[in-house]
Each structure stands twice: as structure tokens, then as C-alpha cells.
């Protein structure tokens, strides 16, 4: 069964139709980019995939199971758009931030168990940030912080990682290496990736599938779901 299967989904806020009759699926191993201009429903679609809101109409299956019956959501990792605007001067180390992804699973702890430090190291290696484990997060660049937040999601060992506009805080010259890192997560660590962006230019040859939500054609449906 597909990892995520969306059938004929619509979603309406009080006044606004955000999504209308969307169908799409995500297979294990995909690196999917969901594209669309501001207001086309990308965030709404993500919230539906994450189970944060229920579609007004239509169904969503996770691993072939209707999402209404699906209890365990640890299989999905999520990195929100806001997590990379981490500039509060909050004195957290990289290790503490990444371990936060474990705390969600196993409750809070005062001191990291040894096994947790190993998990944190492994997650940081996967995003190329192992050398920064004892650094303060607030000293890092936008792109480095984004990698740390991805490691925080990875440490809980999700099957699929959902990223909301991950390149927004990253310098132009570092975007390509950021995509290379994502591609290696997809290829070597077998992480299914779903990435949301409004920037067509950020879609590189690393991505295996593209889905477009497009308001400009007055149809909130997918214009295409291409295999490359
Ligand atoms: P995108 O992420 O592509 O910018 P959204 O999913 O955020 O699109 O929004 C889709 C449409 O739904 C837009 O017209 C937006 O203004 C509207 N919308 C989003 N969130 C809400 C909300 N909480 N209440 C009412 N309308 C909303
Ligand atoms: P994002 O695209 O990262 O979700 P937005 O700025 O589009 O950021 O939305 C921020 C929050 O405001 C979201 O939770 C969204 O649901 C809500 N929102 C967006 N548009 C509207 C709207 N027209 N009315 C009410 N809430 C909205």
C-alpha cells in the first residue's frame, strides 16, 4: 500500500475553500515536492497529512489504514516553517535540541541517557552536523539550524519526513548542498520525503515526484503529478 493515499479530499475554512477534490499518493522511497503559490492550500494539505485537521470531504489512508483508525503518528517526522527562525538567543546546544525529538517519545529527562547521545549523534551524522553537537544552536547559520531541526525529527526514526519550505532561511549558495543532504537521506537512509515549497526554482533533479496545487487556474486541484 502507498505510505500516504489521499482520495478526493476537500477542505473548507469558514469562508474559504482551501482544497477541492485533491487525490494523490506518496509511495515509500519517494522524494515528493508539493508546489503552489501562496494561498493554494499547501499548509492545509500538510495539516491533513499530519492529522492536525480532518478533511471536510474525502479520505486519507496511511499504510493502507484509514487515518481515522490510525493512532500512532510517530511514523511521521515534521519540520515546520517556523523552526528555522530560531533566533531567540535561547542557550540550547545542538545536542539538547536534537534530544528534544526523543523526549517527545520517551518523556522528559534531566540528563541524557548514554544511548540517547548515540541516537543524537547518528541523527546529526545523517544531516552532516556531527561536528556541531556541543555548539549553541543560536550561533549557527540558517542552513545549519535547519539541519539540526531535521536531525531532531530524524532521531525519532520516522518513515516519512515532511518539510514545510525548508530552504527559506538558507543562503542561496548553500541551497544545493542542502538538497544533496536531503537526497542522501532519501537514497541512503531510505527516508521518504515530502517537501512543500512555493519556489519552483528550488526543485532540483534530486526530487523524484512533483505535485502542483495551483490557484491561478481557478481549480484547487493538482495540475500534474509527474514521474521523472
Ligand atoms: P499555502 O500554504 O499554500 O499558502 P494555506 O493552506 O495556508 O495555503 O491556505 C489556503 C487558503 O485557506 C488561503 O486562502 C488561506 O487564506 C485560507 N486559510 C488558511 N488557514 C486558514 C484559517 N485558519 N482560517 C481561515 N482561512 C484559512
Ligand atoms: P504557513 O503558510 O506557514 O502556514 P501562514 O502565514 O500562511 O503560514 O499562516 C499562519 C497561520 O495562520 C496558519 O496556521 C494558517 O492556518 C493561519 N491562516 C492563514 N490564512 C488565514 C486566514 N485567511 N484566516 C485565518 N487564519 C489564517
Amino acid at each position: 500500500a502507498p505510505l500516504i493515499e489521499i482520495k478526493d479530499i476537500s477542505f473548507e475554512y469558514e469562508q474559504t475553500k482551501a482544497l477541492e477534490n485533491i487525490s494523490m499518493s506518496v509511495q515509500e522511497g519517494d522524494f515528493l515536492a508539493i508546489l503552489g503559490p501562496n494561498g493554494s492550500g499547501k499548509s492545509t494539505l500538510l495539516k491533513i497529512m499530519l492529522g492536525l485537521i480532518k478533511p471536510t470531504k474525502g479520505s486519507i489512508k496511511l499504510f493502507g489504514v484509514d487515518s481515522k483508525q490510525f493512532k500512532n503518528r510517530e511514523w511521521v517526522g515534521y519540520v515546520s516553517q517556523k523552526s528555522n527562525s530560531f533566533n531567540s538567543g535561547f542557550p540550547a546546544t545542538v545536542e539538547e535540541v536534537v534530544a528534544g525529538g526523543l523526549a517527545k517519545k520517551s518523556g522528559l529527562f534531566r540528563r541524557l541517557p548514554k544511548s540517547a547521545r548515540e541516537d543524537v549523534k547518528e541523527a546529526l551524522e545523517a544531516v552532516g552536523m556531527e561536528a556541531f553537537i556541543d555548539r549553541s544552536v543560536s550561533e549557527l547559520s540558517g542552513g545549519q539550524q535547519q539541519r539540526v531541526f531535521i536531525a531532531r525529527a530524524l532521531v525519532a526514526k520516522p518513515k516519512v519526513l515532511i518539510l514545510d519550505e525548508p530552504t527559506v532561511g538558507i543562503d542561496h549558495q548553500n541551497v544545493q548542498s542542502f538538497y544533496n543532504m536531503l537526497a542522501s537521506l532519501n537514497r541512503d537512509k531510505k527516508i521518504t520525503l515530502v517537501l512543500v515549497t512555493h519556489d519552483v526554482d528550488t526543485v532540483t533533479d534530486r526530487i523524484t515526484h512533483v505535485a502542483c496545487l495551483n490557484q491561478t487556474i481557478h481549480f484547487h486541484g493538482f495540475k500534474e503529478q509527474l514521474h521523472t
Side-chain angles (χ1 to χ4, degrees), residues 90-101 112 120 133 135 137 152:
F90 184 68
T93 67
V94 168
E95 180 177 21
E96 286 163 348
V97 167
V98 175
L112 273 189
V120 167
I133 188 164
R135 295 274 292 275
V137 174
R152 182 176 63 177

Side-chain angles (χ1 to χ4, degrees), residues 53-184:
I53 57 177
K54 305 268 177 259
T56 323
K57 172 182 154 289
S59 71
I60 170 163
K61 284 185 178 171
L62 312 168
F63 296 109
V65 178
D66 194 280
S67 71
K68 285 179 201 128
Q69 263 96 59
F70 207 90
K71 296 277 185 284
N72 179 1
R73 299 214 172 254
E74 271 166 14
W75 63 281
V76 60
Y78 175 52
V79 180
S80 75
Q81 207 182 343
K82 271 96 209 169
S83 49
N84 64 351
S85 53
F86 190 91
N87 53 9
S88 59
F90 184 68
T93 67
V94 168
E95 180 177 21
E96 286 163 348
V97 167
V98 175
L102 282 171
K104 216 169 69 179
K105 229 180 158 178
S106 50
L108 294 172
F109 30 71
R110 263 161 197 260
R111 170 173 289 170
L112 273 189
K114 270 220 179 73
S115 63
R117 187 162 166 103
E118 288 309 309
D119 287 346
V120 167
K121 273 187 186 162
E122 196 184 315
L124 285 169
E125 266 165 34
V127 299
M129 288 293 289
E130 66 276 18
F132 295 81
I133 188 164
D134 293 316
R135 295 274 292 275
S136 162
V137 174
S138 55
E139 295 169 359
L140 304 180
S141 73
Q144 291 172 329
Q145 288 182 2
Q146 187 65 293
R147 288 173 189 241
V148 169
F149 286 107
I150 290 172
R152 182 176 63 177
L154 286 177
V155 79
K157 303 207 171 12
K159 282 242 173 243
V160 53
L161 191 59
I162 296 181
L163 306 164
D164 194 357
E165 304 205 20
T167 55
V168 163
I170 301 180
D171 295 337
H172 190 70
Q173 68 267 27
N174 294 322
V175 168
Q176 203 53 47
S177 87
F178 181 79
Y179 273 105
N180 291 343
M181 180 276 292
L182 290 182
S184 86

